[in-house]
Amino acid sequence: MKKTTLILFFLLASSSLVFAQRADSLRIKILSDSINKLYERYFKIEESTDNVQKKVNNALTSIEGKVKVLENQAQGQAEKLSQITDEDKRTVKTIYEKSRLSIVATANLMDAINTSLNALEFSVSSLDYSNSIFELNNPTNNDLGFSLDKAVLKIMDERIIKGKFGKRFGDRLRTVVSSIINNPIVNPIINNPITKAIVSTVPAVNSLSSVFNVVNSLAVTEPDLPADALKNFNQDLQRYVAHYEALAKASRDLDFNLVNLKLKSESVRKLATNYVRQSVEDLYTRDGVKNLPNLDMNTLVKRFYNYASVTEFIKGVEKESNNNYNFLSKRLVYPIIGRSKVAFINEEVEKLYNEYVTTLSNYHNNVITILNNATKLSDDQNKITAKIYDLDNRYKNLVQAYEKNVDLPNIKALEDNIPRY
């Protein structure tokens, strides 16, 4: 019966691990499909803007053709050039001014989007809020009014050692169990490389599993140990196993979601960088910016593609051309597709923002539920109340700082500043 209990324990642990690994594989596939669809949607934008772009190009081509015809016909008769109507001139000027405004407004927006992506990436990679939760998995941590090392030794004394073994053997057993709890062996299979939180949280669960193994092995070799004692020991231990496994799962889910967010953010970052790089090339020309293909988005935005830099450059081009709108309308062209692309990028940034907030909210709520359930383990429930209060404040401050740094209302307002064609 004792051996059967031990076998069942490890069968359940193994099946739980296999299920978790299958769930991870499924989530990775879903993530991959999601990123592929992101790129597909982005590149399909061009199809929906072709007709509008053609109309603008045709208007410019028509006026340009009229100018060339009249120039050829004039042959010294400058007065014939007056056949270029005021409407033609206004059309060229309007097209240019709209392009100019669009270029400047888009540069301003991409600067803000870059700042938002930086804020998101920083938040995902440095989640200090969760560190105070990871500390709860330390076997000696007493923030909740109990510590794993003392709780297990107390159960050992009451269920296994007391009245069953002598002091010498009991002390040796306590020393062995204490060493196991404070120096757990982390199973390399459980240490999934896609996460880091599981490494921080599983040791507590592994410690309990190892203690369970030692005591059940002792039951096999020590026939004087009653079956009821082993049963009661396992039941008492299971209460702590459930607590630490719940913390491990919450942290593991958090880390997996953060890894997903990081990958999605990198994908959006690549789209945004490619867009900015192309815009810089269109504005300054490839020869005008050294090493352009190798410049990252932060460098491109800081040095070339921001409101001040773009405005100053355009003023220089206007001055050199003496405000020749025929020239400017061809030199500084804002592609119609540009607005659709930046709107798409902005939409994806907003999705990343909402997903991150949802991830934090779910994690926080899960942890608070776990802490409330831990009251049955605690010798001082006021400590749990204090811990929940502390985590609530940390969570609120984290979300508020994130909202401020990403500043979605600002990038939405900047997007609205780009003219619609």
Side-chain angles (χ1 to χ4, degrees):
M1 178 63 185
K2 295 172 185 176
K3 292 182 180 179
T4 302
T5 302
L6 181 61
I7 292 171
L8 285 174
F9 177 86
F10 285 109
L11 282 176
L12 288 172
S14 299
S15 62
S16 176
L17 176 59
V18 170
F19 178 80
Q21 289 174 331
R22 287 178 179 173
D24 285 351
S25 298
L26 178 60
R27 288 198 285 188
I28 291 171
K29 183 181 184 305
I30 292 172
L31 171 64
S32 176
D33 292 343
S34 175
I35 291 175
N36 288 336
K37 288 179 180 178
L38 167 72
Y39 285 109
E40 286 176 8
R41 296 201 318 275
Y42 181 77
F43 291 121
K44 280 183 178 179
I45 291 175
E46 297 183 5
E47 299 175 7
S48 63
T49 57
D50 278 351
N51 290 334
V52 180
Q53 184 69 61
K54 286 176 182 178
K55 289 180 180 178
V56 175
N57 292 343
N58 289 341
L60 288 172
T61 301
S62 175
I63 295 171
E64 183 180 2
K66 186 183 291 188
V67 172
K68 289 181 179 179
V69 168
L70 291 174
E71 285 177 343
N72 291 335
Q73 291 176 348
Q75 297 178 349
Q77 301 178 42
E79 67 278 3
K80 286 191 176 183
L81 290 179
S82 63
Q83 294 180 37
I84 299 294
T85 66
D86 290 340
E87 181 61 31
D88 291 332
K89 294 176 182 178
R90 283 195 296 271
T91 299
V92 173
K93 183 179 179 182
T94 299
I95 290 175
Y96 165 67
E97 288 182 341
K98 186 171 283 188
S99 279
R100 182 188 189 284
L101 181 57
S102 297
I103 292 170
V104 173
T106 299
N108 205 14
L109 170 62
M110 295 310 294
D111 188 0
I113 285 178
N114 182 59
T115 300
S116 296
L117 285 172
N118 287 340
L120 172 68
E121 290 160 2
F122 176 79
S123 298
V124 168
S125 62
S126 59
L127 190 55
D128 292 334
Y129 156 78
S130 61
N131 290 338
S132 90
I133 298 173
F134 293 158
E135 291 170 1
L136 298 177
N137 296 282
N138 186 327
T140 60
N141 183 280
N142 192 42
D143 287 355
L144 303 182
F146 66 92
S147 62
L148 181 61
D149 58 345
K150 292 180 180 178
V152 172
L153 290 177
K154 182 180 179 181
I155 296 173
M156 280 285 302
D157 286 337
E158 293 178 352
R159 300 299 189 185
I160 302 299
I161 296 175
K162 187 177 180 180
K164 303 172 183 67
F165 296 103
K167 184 178 185 304
R168 184 177 178 183
F169 182 83
D171 288 344
R172 286 173 58 192
L173 183 58
R174 292 175 93 259
T175 299
V176 169
V177 169
S178 180
S179 177
I180 290 172
I181 294 172
N182 290 286
N183 300 282
I185 298 175
V186 179
N187 188 331
I189 297 177
I190 296 178
N191 184 6
N192 190 326
I194 200 169
T195 66
K196 70 176 185 295
I198 195 66
V199 179
S200 301
T201 55
V202 162
V205 178
N206 280 0
S207 295
L208 291 167
S209 299
S210 298
V211 169
F212 181 93
N213 188 14
V214 167
V215 174
N216 277 271
S217 297
L218 177 66
V220 173
T221 59
E222 297 291 336
D224 292 337
L225 183 61
D228 286 345
L230 180 63
K231 178 181 177 182
N232 292 333
F233 171 81
N234 291 339
Q235 287 178 343
D236 288 349
L237 205 63
Q238 185 57 39
R239 297 162 62 212
Y240 292 90
V241 170
H243 170 75
Y244 287 103
E245 280 185 340
L247 279 178
K249 184 181 183 306
S251 294
R252 187 169 183 273
D253 287 345
L254 168 69
D255 236 29
F256 199 99
N257 288 332
L258 291 182
V259 169
N260 288 354
L261 269 169
K262 187 171 186 246
L263 293 175
K264 290 179 181 178
S265 176
E266 288 173 354
S267 298
V268 175
R269 166 77 70 179
K270 287 178 182 178
L271 292 179
T273 301
N274 289 338
Y275 178 83
V276 170
R277 187 177 289 124
Q278 184 61 56
S279 298
V280 168
E281 181 177 337
D282 292 343
L283 184 61
Y284 297 90
T285 74
R286 178 178 284 268
D287 294 335
V289 179
K290 293 181 180 179
N291 200 31
L292 176 59
N294 298 319
L295 298 181
D296 61 24
M297 187 172 177
N298 281 297
T299 302
L300 289 168
V301 167
K302 182 178 179 181
R303 293 173 55 187
F304 304 105
Y305 207 64
N306 56 71
Y307 180 86
S309 298
V310 169
T311 300
E312 182 180 358
F313 179 80
I314 290 177
K315 285 181 179 178
V317 175
E318 290 175 339
K319 184 177 180 181
E320 288 180 8
S321 72
N322 196 26
N323 287 328
N324 182 335
Y325 293 113
N326 285 325
F327 168 79
L328 291 172
S329 64
K330 291 178 286 185
R331 172 62 183 86
L332 300 176
V333 178
Y334 183 80
I336 304 301
I337 194 174
R339 196 186 195 289
S340 297
K341 284 187 174 180
V342 294
F344 178 89
I345 293 169
N346 193 12
E347 180 183 338
E348 292 304 315
V349 170
E350 184 175 354
K351 288 180 182 177
L352 289 172
Y353 168 87
N354 290 329
E355 188 171 342
Y356 179 70
V357 172
T358 299
T359 293
L360 282 183
S361 176
N362 289 340
Y363 177 61
H364 180 72
N365 291 336
N366 286 340
V367 169
I368 297 304
T369 298
I370 293 167
L371 298 192
N372 281 322
N373 289 338
T375 54
K376 58 193 175 188
L377 304 176
S378 178
D379 295 326
D380 185 356
Q381 296 183 11
N382 288 331
K383 285 192 172 185
I384 294 181
T385 301
K387 188 66 176 178
I388 290 175
Y389 178 80
D390 174 61
L391 291 178
D392 278 338
N393 285 333
R394 287 173 182 265
Y395 169 73
K396 290 174 183 176
N397 291 336
L398 177 65
V399 172
Q400 287 174 359
Y402 179 64
E403 288 176 348
K404 180 180 178 181
N405 291 333
V406 174
D407 200 357
L408 278 183
N410 178 52
I411 60 176
K412 182 59 180 172
L414 292 176
E415 179 191 333
D416 291 338
N417 287 337
I418 303 174
R420 297 179 182 274
Y421 286 81

